[in-house]
């Protein structure tokens, strides 16, 4: 779709974007105040653009396979375990209150459980995983994916990494 990153070259069909590699890092030029525009009018397309820009430069160590209403933060604990905080926040992907005709099926403030989430590890291997909320064991697929069967409002996935 023309969104491939090419260091030092504009995206095809998107001349307002430019990526330059700088040593081990990179600089991204966007010809618009993207974050201000997102705050003014959040859309899935803008969120996907920022996601594509950042993950196209470097694959994150931890990602989430699931709907955009689930936010995630990961932190390495002092004991070496990885703590992944998941939060079911439907308000993060639509204006509050709900825009007319927005196609959102739930009442503002209502949290609908999300099922079949997967925490994906890149460059890391999970020996085991458990819920930090209930203490129950979570399934680990091929050492690289932790399955969260159902997320109500929040969960902390504690991942014991292979050494």
């Amino acid at each position: 779709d023309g969104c491939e990153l090419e260091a030092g070259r504009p995206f095809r069909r998107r001349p307002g974007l430019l990526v330059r590699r700088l040593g081990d890092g990179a600089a991204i030029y966007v010809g618009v105040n993207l974050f201000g525009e997102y705050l003014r009018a959040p859309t899935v397309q803008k969120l996907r653009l920022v996601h594509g820009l950042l993950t196209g430069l470097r694959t994150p160590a931890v990602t989430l396979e699931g709907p955009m209403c689930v936010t995630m933060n990961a932190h390495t604990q002092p004991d070496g375990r990885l703590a992944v905080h998941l939060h079911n926040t439907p308000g993060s992907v639509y204006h509050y209150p709900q825009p007319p005709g927005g196609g959102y099926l739930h009442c503002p403030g209502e949290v609908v459980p999300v099922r079949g989430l997967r925490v994906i590890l890149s460059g890391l291997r999970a020996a085991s995983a458990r819920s930090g909320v209930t203490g129950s064991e979570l399934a680990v697929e091929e050492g690289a994916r932790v399955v969260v069967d159902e997320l109500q409002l929040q969960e902390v996935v504690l991942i014991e990494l292979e050494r």
Side-chain angles (χ1 to χ4, degrees):
D1 71 349
C3 288
E4 301 82 30
L5 287 174
E6 297 177 44
R9 297 182 179 193
F11 283 82
R12 288 179 283 158
R13 296 182 294 140
R14 290 172 177 74
L17 295 173
L18 183 69
V19 177
R20 292 251 184 233
R21 293 277 181 184
L22 303 167
D24 291 338
I28 302 171
Y29 169 78
V30 182
V32 66
N33 180 353
L34 187 57
F35 295 106
E37 282 298 307
Y38 180 76
L39 290 174
R40 186 183 65 73
T43 65
V44 171
Q45 291 82 1
K46 290 175 191 169
L47 192 59
R48 286 184 178 145
L49 173 62
V50 172
H51 177 268
L53 285 170
L54 297 178
T55 60
L57 291 169
R58 181 176 177 196
T59 302
V62 182
T63 55
L64 181 68
E65 184 180 289
M68 293 176 72
C69 65
V70 179
T71 60
M72 178 192 76
N73 289 294
H75 173 71
T76 303
Q77 297 185 303
D79 64 4
R81 287 185 302 172
L82 188 60
V84 180
H85 298 254
L86 302 176
H87 190 204
N88 186 356
T89 56
S92 65
V93 293
Y94 69 92
H95 270 305
Y96 189 82
Q98 171 187 351
Y104 191 73
L105 302 176
H106 311 102
C107 298
E110 179 183 10
V111 177
V112 176
V114 178
R115 292 177 175 80
L117 299 171
R118 282 177 171 67
V119 176
I120 312 293
L121 304 177
S122 176
L124 302 170
R125 303 258 323 146
S128 65
R130 67 179 47 256
S131 166
V133 176
T134 66
S136 61
E137 190 87 13
L138 299 174
V140 177
E141 299 174 336
E142 301 174 20
R145 292 184 295 281
V146 177
V147 179
V148 179
D149 289 326
E150 181 176 287
L151 174 65
Q152 290 289 329
L153 182 58
Q154 65 180 350
E155 178 63 85
V156 179
V157 178
L158 299 173
I159 302 172
E160 190 74 39
L161 298 172
E162 288 183 1
R163 304 223 184 250

